[in-house]
Amino acid sequence: MAVVVMKFGGTSVADVERIRNVARHVKREVDAGNKVAVVVSAMSGTTNQLVAWVRDANPLYDAREYDAVVASGEQITAGLLAIVLQKMGLKARSWQGWQIPIETSDAHGSARITKVDGEAIRRHLDAGEVAVITGFQGIEPKAQRLATLGRGGSDTSAVAVAVALRADVCDIYTDVDGVYTTDPRIVPKAQRLPKISYEEMLEMASLGSKVLQTRSVELAMLYRVRVRVLSSFVPPEKMSPVVVDRLENIGTIVTDEDEIVEQQVVSGIAYAKDEAKITILKVADKPGVAARIFGPLADANINVDMIVQNVAPDGKSTDMTFTVQATELPRALEVLKAAEKDIGLFDVQSSADVAKISVIGVGMRSHAGVAAQMFKALADKGINILAISTSEIKISVLIDAAYAELAVRTLHSIYGLDAA
Ligand code: ADP
Ligand code: ASP
Ligand code: MG
């Protein structure tokens, strides 16, 4: 008998008919004798609608009330799934974050899970009941306010629940049948990866592949949770129930590097269109200037990603380019303006029409030339590189957004990832 956490994303619970489909997946596991905790997202489109209403009500909203509104989407699906499961003759009940409780930090809108108490859920599972848990939300214990985990946060709820229940597997059901070498909606020749290492999945997620929320991968890696990514659209009867120690590999298993036998140099390509570029022109080329630019941004909690500083041809002034989240661009520009005196005279240019394209692979640790190959391929297509950043297992370039898809397809092909 296994303890299984099953998470279903927005498209998998988009209407009551799809919720019935989800219930059949759950029933398969229960019928096999497994103990099941289900984590659900809001119906697809719901969270966007809720966010839009909040912004309409007041663009400078109270973050605690934002959470009160947007957390409601998951409450609907959890209740509906419990009702459908009961109609199928299963014992089931819904659980909201505060009832478990799933405790979080007070960073409303992007709170971190700080603690999950598995006790109550465990007791109910032992009594043969399916626990249907709202993803994306928890409670901030000091002020006792609802808090949400940031977009895509139900993945993180699922992994955190799996940790608390010491589950044998955390199955993430979505609208694709696994993690692919790149977004299969952009590159039809993308291939499913039967396995991917935690490290690579972490890079893929943080560099824009939204199939798993970054924090869910961090948490899985920390606690060595076995995560599988599966499609909820495969008919429930066509999948076999979870058997501990004999996990069927029908989607993608996120696991330790040493379990992966055949390793490509590059395993995947990610892209992100949510960054914006800021260039500060003609700042003095002297010690302390970078600190005076990035200090105030850090104080304002604005994350800076890629940074390029040009050489100063005249030895006096230089240009500095860096990226921030596109949603933070107006705030970043304000912060820079306020720090203008400290930084010294400068002109600033900014653009959100940029995309970050990344190639990822643990094989890069032992292979030279991956970057050179990438730069040449982009040059051959006439794509200009605006900024570069690297780590041990990834190379990212910033380019004009108009070329994003061409770049992804080109790189996917030259690193040998295209399906035959
Ligand atoms: P859910 O609502 O189930 O959480 P998401 O929309 O958050 O689903 O994530 C699934 C989507 O992630 C897929 O539809 C796919 O377009 C996208 N995606 C991006 N990169 C990848 C990748 N490398 N492999 C698989 N899917 C990816
Ligand atoms: N419903 C939330 C969102 O759309 C959380 C999730 O689906 O994971 O971001
Ligand atoms: Mg998601």
Side-chain angles (χ1 to χ4, degrees), residues 7 9-10 41 151-155 174 210-213:
K7 179 259 171 179
S41 288
R151 299 308 304 270
S154 297
D155 299 327
T174 181
K210 70 165 188 168
V211 60
L212 289 177
Q213 198 199 32

Side-chain angles (χ1 to χ4, degrees), residues 169-174 176-182 184 190-198 200-202 204 211-212 217 220 225-232 234 239 247-256 259-260 267:
V169 65
C170 180
D171 281 341
I172 307 282
Y173 287 82
T174 181
V176 282
D177 65 348
V179 178
Y180 278 67
T181 46
T182 193
Q191 301 188 66
R192 181 170 59 85
L193 295 161
K195 290 186 178 180
I196 185 168
S197 67
Y198 292 115
E200 287 168 315
M201 192 62 240
L202 192 57
M204 291 265 274
V211 60
L212 289 177
V217 188
V225 179
R226 274 189 161 269
V227 172
R228 278 194 306 180
V229 178
L230 306 166
S231 168
S232 70
V234 173
M239 288 167 74
L247 258 196
E248 215 188 342
N249 200 348
I250 41 175
T252 297
I253 298 190
V254 189
T255 185
D256 281 311
E259 278 193 36
I260 300 169
S267 339

Side-chain angles (χ1 to χ4, degrees), residues 20-329:
R20 284 194 192 100
N21 174 63
V22 162
R24 287 196 290 275
H25 280 287
V26 173
K27 186 169 188 303
R28 177 191 66 233
E29 299 299 329
V30 174
D31 287 349
N34 291 330
K35 296 181 181 172
V36 184
V38 189
V39 174
V40 286
S41 288
M43 293 176 172
S44 61
T46 299
T47 311
N48 287 346
Q49 174 66 78
L50 295 169
V51 170
W53 280 336
V54 170
R55 295 218 169 108
D56 183 12
N58 182 359
L60 301 173
Y61 51 78
D62 176 341
R64 292 161 300 188
E65 302 306 345
Y66 166 96
D67 278 350
V69 175
V70 301
S72 64
E74 273 68 14
Q75 197 168 321
I76 297 171
T77 41
L80 287 174
L81 178 57
I83 290 170
V84 169
L85 286 168
Q86 288 167 359
K87 182 143 190 275
M88 283 184 173
L90 300 184
K91 285 206 277 179
R93 74 154 272 193
S94 67
W95 294 82
Q96 288 155 40
W98 63 271
Q99 294 170 321
I100 295 176
I102 294 175
E103 293 185 2
T104 72
S105 70
D106 63 2
H108 285 277
S110 58
R112 271 181 182 275
I113 294 179
T114 51
K115 193 174 146 206
V116 179
D117 188 341
E119 241 333 278
I121 300 277
R122 190 82 208 199
R123 267 201 318 275
H124 283 253
L125 295 190
D126 288 344
E129 192 176 84
V130 176
V132 186
I133 299 167
T134 50
F136 185 51
Q137 51 148 285
I139 184 165
E140 190 279 294
K142 268 210 212 89
Q144 295 277 307
R145 300 292 307 256
L146 275 180
T148 64
L149 309 177
R151 299 308 304 270
S154 297
D155 299 327
T156 304
S157 308
V159 175
V161 166
V163 173
L165 296 176
R166 287 183 290 281
D168 295 291
V169 65
C170 180
D171 281 341
I172 307 282
Y173 287 82
T174 181
D175 55 4
V176 282
D177 65 348
V179 178
Y180 278 67
T181 46
T182 193
D183 190 340
R185 293 185 205 288
I186 301 288
V187 181
K189 284 185 178 164
Q191 301 188 66
R192 181 170 59 85
L193 295 161
K195 290 186 178 180
I196 185 168
S197 67
Y198 292 115
E199 288 82 357
E200 287 168 315
M201 192 62 240
L202 192 57
E203 292 283 10
M204 291 265 274
S206 67
L207 294 168
S209 305
K210 70 165 188 168
V211 60
L212 289 177
Q213 198 199 32
T214 306
R215 281 185 198 165
S216 72
V217 188
E218 281 171 1
L219 209 56
M221 186 160 132
L222 187 62
Y223 291 94
R224 285 333 209 227
V225 179
R226 274 189 161 269
V227 172
R228 278 194 306 180
V229 178
L230 306 166
S231 168
S232 70
F233 296 107
V234 173
E237 322 64 67
K238 289 243 163 91
M239 288 167 74
S240 27
V242 170
V243 180
V244 194
D245 302 330
R246 264 196 296 126
L247 258 196
E248 215 188 342
N249 200 348
I250 41 175
T252 297
I253 298 190
V254 189
T255 185
D256 281 311
E257 209 176 295
D258 52 17
E259 278 193 36
I260 300 169
V261 200
E262 261 180 74
Q263 191 73 62
Q264 298 267 22
V265 178
V266 169
S267 339
I269 319 274
Y271 70 95
K273 289 183 175 167
D274 55 358
E275 282 188 37
K277 172 185 77 135
I278 299 178
T279 301
I280 297 188
L281 297 158
K282 298 210 175 68
V283 282
D285 187 28
K286 59 180 190 209
V289 170
R292 284 198 286 272
I293 294 173
F294 297 114
L297 291 170
D299 292 343
N301 246 323
I302 296 171
N303 267 328
V304 172
D305 180 22
M306 308 170 107
I307 301 177
V308 187
Q309 183 183 336
N310 287 348
V311 287
D314 57 0
K316 287 187 205 131
S317 66
T318 181
D319 302 342
M320 185 100 77
T321 295
F322 54 92
T323 62
V324 298
Q325 285 293 302
T327 49
E328 300 277 31
L329 179 60

Side-chain angles (χ1 to χ4, degrees), residues 7-15 18 41-45 173:
K7 179 259 171 179
F8 295 90
T11 39
S12 305
V13 293
D15 54 40
R18 293 217 178 141
S41 288
M43 293 176 172
S44 61
Y173 287 82

